[in-house]
Amino acid sequence: MAFISTGYDPKKPMENRITDIGPRDYNEFYPPVIAKNKGKWSHHEILEPGVLVHVADSGDEVYTVRVGGARLMSTTHINEICEIADKHCDGHLRFTTRNNVEFMVDSKDKLEPLKNDLASRKFDGGSFKFPIGGTGAGITNIVHTQGWIHCHTPATDASGTVKASMDALFADFQDMRLPAHLRVSMACCLNMCGAVHCSDIAILGYHRKPPMLDHEYLDKVCEIPLAVSACPTAAIKPSKQTLADGTEVKSVSVKNERCMYCGNCYTMCPSMPLADTEGDGIVLMAGGKVSNRISDPKFSKVVVGFLPNEMPRWPSMTAAITRMVEAYAKGANKYERLGDWAERIGWEKFFEACELEFTHHLIDDFRQQAYMSWRQSTQFKF
């Protein structure tokens, strides 16, 4: 009612609008052939890795070329994407939720020139600027978080680990040899803005040491109540500390056994840094999925407890991921996701097939009966 009282009509959201704040109506941005046939599609198919065709009831066709896109893009790269869209697609393109870029044309005659143009564009080092692929039973783009380039709490880099991983998996980005599609995600700390807790294979940056405390400056740069309240496990409490020169200052203390190394305190207080060369590294997780098809959605499980940061190519991490992908490609049934395969053969066999070391730290002892009983999926019967 508050909206109505201000004169806002939800059926005519642009009427009498006096600002340009907020997104414009997405219907304005459809390519003409998609706007014409919206909701009236007959079928679609994947013609080859990275190339799809959607056929409308009217007989109209839309050919889509999917290319891998960078999570962090320069303005020059975005300008080049727009230049390709203007040249081949009448200015239209779309981004997928996994940062792929899709160029769409309305006739088969325009498809080959678009593909050839994309394949011809390379960086000075020789790698493709716009690699075609990421469809069907293969590996699509790796979604990731900010990493060292732009975030203050990462335990590892995002762009670097993803580049190293995707170089190792690139053949499966341009192929569809796997039993089903395989989602790889990366988050550079436990806060997981990359949502790696439900990916087939997940890379997770992990801190192993509690925050360091700069008592001399803490009260000068931090709101102590905010630092205390930021801790999800109540590990932080106010305290008074005596400096080396005998000065008493207001600060905080940390109960280390309660700390879960999340970095929330550092977000609120720059005098509580968490980054540590030896303590920071990578955890690998596997078996998660969002899909409701065949089986319930699944959370990922930790399968490699810790790997050190081995910049710039992270060889131990990429080797473990490659072993998982190859074992999955060899052992899973058609349409079977990685987690379903692991559950079918048993997690013990999964570790054996992937040549991963198992330790008691990896035993999943999570118990919560309410969670198991909630009707959270379409995969149930009364």
Side-chain angles (χ1 to χ4, degrees), residues 116-135:
N116 293 337
D117 189 2
L118 292 168
S120 69
R121 297 175 186 254
K122 296 184 178 182
F123 292 105
D124 293 339
S127 60
F128 293 106
K129 287 184 177 181
F130 304 102
I132 299 173
T135 54

Side-chain angles (χ1 to χ4, degrees), residues 11 76 84 102 114 170 179 203 206 215 244 270 300 376:
K11 295 181 180 179
T76 54
I84 295 168
E102 292 188 345
L114 171 59
F170 185 64
I203 305 164
Y206 184 54
H215 296 299
S300 309
Q376 57 180 345

Side-chain angles (χ1 to χ4, degrees), residues 26-327:
Y26 59 85
N27 286 290
E28 299 178 32
F29 302 101
Y30 286 130
V33 64
I34 292 180
K36 173 187 172 185
N37 296 285
K38 184 178 178 181
K40 302 174 183 177
W41 299 99
S42 167
H43 63 279
H44 75 275
E45 58 182 303
I46 302 173
L47 301 178
E48 61 186 77
V51 180
L52 305 92
V53 60
H54 288 74
V55 181
D57 293 335
S58 64
D60 291 341
E61 295 177 332
V62 177
Y63 291 88
T64 301
V65 180
R66 176 180 292 182
V67 301
R71 166 65 174 80
L72 302 173
M73 292 186 177
S74 66
T75 53
T76 54
H77 190 68
I78 295 172
N79 281 334
E80 192 165 358
I81 291 173
C82 295
E83 174 193 319
I84 295 168
D86 287 338
K87 181 178 178 181
H88 297 279
C89 314
D90 299 322
H92 295 283
L93 63 93
R94 67 183 292 270
F95 285 83
T96 73
T97 56
R98 298 190 72 85
N99 305 317
N100 298 290
V101 185
E102 292 188 345
F103 298 98
M104 298 160 289
V105 293
D106 55 10
S107 76
K108 196 169 186 178
D109 296 338
K110 300 176 182 178
L111 182 60
E112 286 303 318
L114 171 59
K115 287 170 53 183
N116 293 337
D117 189 2
L118 292 168
S120 69
R121 297 175 186 254
K122 296 184 178 182
F123 292 105
D124 293 339
S127 60
F128 293 106
K129 287 184 177 181
F130 304 102
I132 299 173
T135 54
I139 293 174
T140 188
N141 228 11
I142 302 179
V143 293
H144 68 85
T145 52
Q146 311 280 356
W148 288 328
I149 196 170
H150 193 54
C151 186
H152 61 285
T153 59
T156 189
D157 191 29
S159 302
T161 55
V162 167
K163 169 62 176 170
S165 300
M166 206 60 188
D167 282 350
L169 303 175
F170 185 64
D172 281 317
F173 177 80
Q174 295 195 308
D175 198 359
M176 297 190 294
R177 72 178 177 106
L178 299 179
H181 55 257
L182 189 81
R183 301 286 185 249
V184 183
S185 303
M186 192 279 157
C188 47
C189 82
L190 279 171
N191 291 305
M192 283 202 285
C193 55
V196 301
H197 56 282
C198 48
S199 300
D200 293 288
I201 296 176
I203 305 164
L204 175 63
Y206 184 54
H207 296 288
R208 296 189 298 173
K209 294 184 180 181
M212 295 168 273
L213 300 171
D214 188 349
H215 296 299
E216 182 179 357
Y217 292 100
L218 194 142
D219 191 32
K220 298 180 178 67
V221 298
C222 305
E223 294 278 355
I224 289 178
L226 293 182
V228 171
S229 63
C231 182
T233 59
I236 303 171
K237 65 179 181 179
S239 71
K240 292 183 178 181
Q241 302 288 334
T242 303
L243 304 180
D245 63 1
T247 306
E248 187 176 78
V249 295
K250 293 180 180 178
S251 186
V252 300
S253 61
V254 176
K255 193 172 184 178
N256 290 348
E257 58 269 29
R258 278 180 174 261
C259 180
M260 60 180 273
Y261 322 123
C262 67
N264 281 354
C265 54
Y266 181 61
T267 301
M268 303 308 299
C269 180
S271 287
M272 300 180 69
L274 205 66
D276 181 86
T277 302
E278 295 180 358
D280 294 351
I282 287 170
V283 167
L284 295 182
M285 306 169 73
K289 71 184 182 87
V290 177
S291 169
N292 223 0
R293 184 177 172 274
I294 298 180
S295 64
D296 289 349
K298 303 177 190 298
F299 281 133
S300 309
K301 299 179 185 292
V302 176
V303 295
V304 178
F306 186 80
L307 292 169
N309 281 319
E310 300 171 316
M311 299 78 72
R313 301 298 297 175
W314 284 269
S316 299
M317 178 197 71
T318 55
I321 292 173
T322 301
R323 290 197 301 272
M324 280 191 273
V325 173
E326 291 303 323

